[in-house]
Amino acid sequence: MSILITGSAGRVGSKVVKRLLDQGDSVTGFDLRPSGITHVNYREVTGAFDDRAAAQRAAKGTTAVLHLGAFMSWLPSDSDKLHRANVDGTRVILEEAAKHKPRRIIFASSGEVYPENVPDYLPVDEDHPIKPRSPYGLTKQLGEEIVRFVERTTSIPATILRFSHTQDAAELLDPTSFFSGPRFFLHPKIKQQESFNNIAAVEKLKRQDDGTEALVLSRNESGRPFRMHITDTRDMVDGILLALTAERAAGRTYNLGATAPVDFAEALPLMAQLTGLPLKTIDLPGGGVFYETSNARIRNDLGFEPKWTIDRMIAEAVQARRDRIQAT
Ligand code: NAD
């Protein structure tokens, strides 16, 4: 008998596995990749979510399912892979898990279902219309539908958590990091914009490139600095475990993330000051990123209280960057 955690090798899933093992639970991990976690109460299945045989092995004896794994990509060419992993994968793993009558399903959805970066109103709350614009956001909307279908037809209570953008603090100042590299560093940002074929953005970015490593303060075409939520993985783990244990969370949908959004006009100068890196301010074509998402429902219902402000995350990121540089 154990708690099934999908995405057990991932940023969020691996930390949830460790927290549950620390508190004495038995856990089964399920991921394409091995997590490297070893523990007497830990079993791991490697395989794809939509592989029926692997899902069957992973689901054996499950007492609760935390479906935290997914494929994340914003490339239209990844659409088939996104639907296989996030839609069919969700259907197959939940069908297999439901046979064991777990007490709860927790599903990691995303603010991409609204989507937060094209909001009808601010702050974005859980009643905001769902009209995703990316293939990834669409797969999360369909994943939510599958979760509610399974809940309706099996009476296993489910909680949907619409995740904020989530990072380990150490990733923030790592130019090789999947999200923070292109978000905050000039060269990875040029590469990312080239892969999206955003020619106008690439030209603007390249004009600022003198060949040295630099941070980027992104603004929209009218000069408005980007603003978005960046939540520390540790706070997300707290929210997930609250949702798993609270009776009140059954059948509910919550935005899960930091209380205050990060204003890039404040965070980037701080990062530059603390690292000594040059900062380039760039007005990118289009409306840019500017949103605020309300976490009031999960705070009021479950007492969720995030602890990792962006300043605390940046302080840790600076130390991690120093350690990386020293190690090379
Ligand atoms: P992650 O990429 O670090 O981890 C996801 C894990 O899922 C990976 O270990 C990957 O190997 C596994 N995986 C992907 N496709 C698979 C498949 N077909 N079969 C088996 N395993 C597969 O992601 P994360 O940051 O830990 O995110 C956790 C969840 O939160 C995901 O569902 C993601 O969509 C969602 N989410 C994340 C963010 C964010 O900013 N990190 C924001 C919103 C929502």
Side-chain angles (χ1 to χ4, degrees), residues 7 15 71 86 92 112 115 125 136 139 171-172 182 204 265 275-276 280 292-293 299 313 322:
K15 278 105 186 167
F71 177 54
N86 301 352
V92 171
E112 279 274 310
D125 59 19
Y136 167 71
T139 65
E171 291 178 272
L172 288 184
K204 285 204 142 193
T275 57
K280 315 276 182 180
E292 180 169 354
T293 303
R299 291 174 73 201
M313 290 177 74
R322 281 197 199 115

Side-chain angles (χ1 to χ4, degrees), residues 10-74:
R11 181 185 289 106
V12 178
S14 61
K15 278 105 186 167
V16 174
V17 169
K18 287 179 191 151
R19 279 277 293 276
L20 287 173
L21 289 171
D22 283 350
Q23 64 186 47
D25 288 303
S26 291
V27 178
T28 300
F30 184 24
D31 199 298
L32 276 178
R33 313 175 281 156
S35 67
I37 299 170
T38 51
H39 192 284
V40 62
N41 291 332
Y42 185 59
R43 177 175 82 93
E44 190 165 89
V45 174
T46 47
F49 299 143
D50 62 329
D51 173 343
R52 177 74 61 181
Q56 222 162 33
R57 281 200 305 281
K60 207 166 161 232
T62 191
T63 55
V65 190
L66 287 83
H67 185 31
L68 307 178
F71 177 54
M72 283 189 277
S73 168
W74 281 261

Side-chain angles (χ1 to χ4, degrees), residues 12-320:
V12 178
S14 61
K15 278 105 186 167
V16 174
V17 169
K18 287 179 191 151
R19 279 277 293 276
L20 287 173
L21 289 171
D22 283 350
Q23 64 186 47
D25 288 303
S26 291
V27 178
T28 300
F30 184 24
D31 199 298
L32 276 178
R33 313 175 281 156
S35 67
I37 299 170
T38 51
H39 192 284
V40 62
N41 291 332
Y42 185 59
R43 177 175 82 93
E44 190 165 89
V45 174
T46 47
F49 299 143
D50 62 329
D51 173 343
R52 177 74 61 181
Q56 222 162 33
R57 281 200 305 281
K60 207 166 161 232
T62 191
T63 55
V65 190
L66 287 83
H67 185 31
L68 307 178
F71 177 54
M72 283 189 277
S73 168
W74 281 261
L75 294 173
S77 55
D78 275 333
S79 180
D80 287 350
K81 203 173 157 193
L82 279 162
H83 280 259
R84 275 197 301 274
N86 301 352
V87 183
D88 237 28
T90 298
R91 179 180 64 79
V92 171
I93 188 65
L94 292 187
E95 281 173 0
E96 289 306 322
K99 292 178 185 166
H100 300 271
K101 304 255 174 284
R103 66 176 192 278
R104 181 69 65 83
I105 295 167
I106 303 286
F107 177 61
S109 183
S110 169
E112 279 274 310
V113 298
Y114 298 122
E116 290 160 308
N117 58 355
V118 194
D120 283 0
Y121 59 86
L122 293 175
V124 176
D125 59 19
E126 292 84 350
D127 298 324
H128 188 285
I130 302 296
K131 34 186 185 177
R133 288 174 173 231
S134 63
Y136 167 71
L138 173 61
T139 65
K140 286 294 179 182
Q141 178 188 16
L142 297 172
E144 289 193 8
E145 290 294 336
I146 291 168
V147 168
R148 291 298 176 215
F149 174 81
V150 171
E151 180 178 50
R152 248 187 335 269
T153 53
T154 64
S155 300
I156 299 164
T159 307
I160 290 171
L161 299 173
R162 293 190 181 135
F163 280 21
S164 150
H165 180 63
T166 302
Q167 292 282 268
D168 289 342
E171 291 178 272
L172 288 184
L173 285 166
D174 180 355
T176 67
S177 134
F178 176 73
F179 287 123
S180 295
R183 178 161 293 124
F184 299 131
F185 286 85
L186 182 61
H187 293 150
K189 193 169 199 77
I190 291 173
K191 277 212 188 89
Q192 180 203 48
Q193 293 301 312
E194 281 172 342
S195 77
F196 291 149
N197 212 17
N198 290 341
I199 292 154
V202 171
E203 277 171 8
K204 285 204 142 193
L205 290 160
K206 280 193 167 167
R207 256 181 255 137
Q208 297 258 19
D209 184 13
D210 60 12
T212 54
E213 186 174 47
L215 291 166
V216 182
L217 165 50
S218 300
R219 309 193 307 187
N220 77 355
E221 60 194 13
S222 322
R224 182 179 67 185
F226 283 19
R227 172 182 291 190
M228 60 180 283
H229 289 259
I230 300 176
T231 307
D232 190 287
T233 309
R234 289 163 286 197
D235 283 331
M236 297 300 283
V237 174
D238 285 347
I240 292 162
L241 296 184
L242 274 175
L244 176 66
T245 47
E247 274 308 311
R248 269 190 98 167
R252 302 280 279 161
T253 297
Y254 296 109
N255 289 334
L256 178 61
T259 302
V262 175
D263 187 341
F264 283 26
E266 289 170 13
L268 267 297
L270 179 64
M271 289 178 180
Q273 185 205 326
L274 295 175
T275 57
L277 287 168
L279 178 61
K280 315 276 182 180
T281 298
I282 299 178
D283 294 348
L284 293 162
V289 178
F290 191 86
Y291 66 80
E292 180 169 354
T293 303
S294 170
N295 64 5
R297 185 184 285 179
I298 193 163
R299 291 174 73 201
N300 294 336
D301 264 21
L302 309 186
F304 173 64
E305 210 44 74
K307 300 179 193 77
W308 288 88
T309 61
I310 191 67
D311 288 3
R312 286 185 76 193
M313 290 177 74
I314 290 172
E316 203 172 292
V318 170
Q319 188 54 50

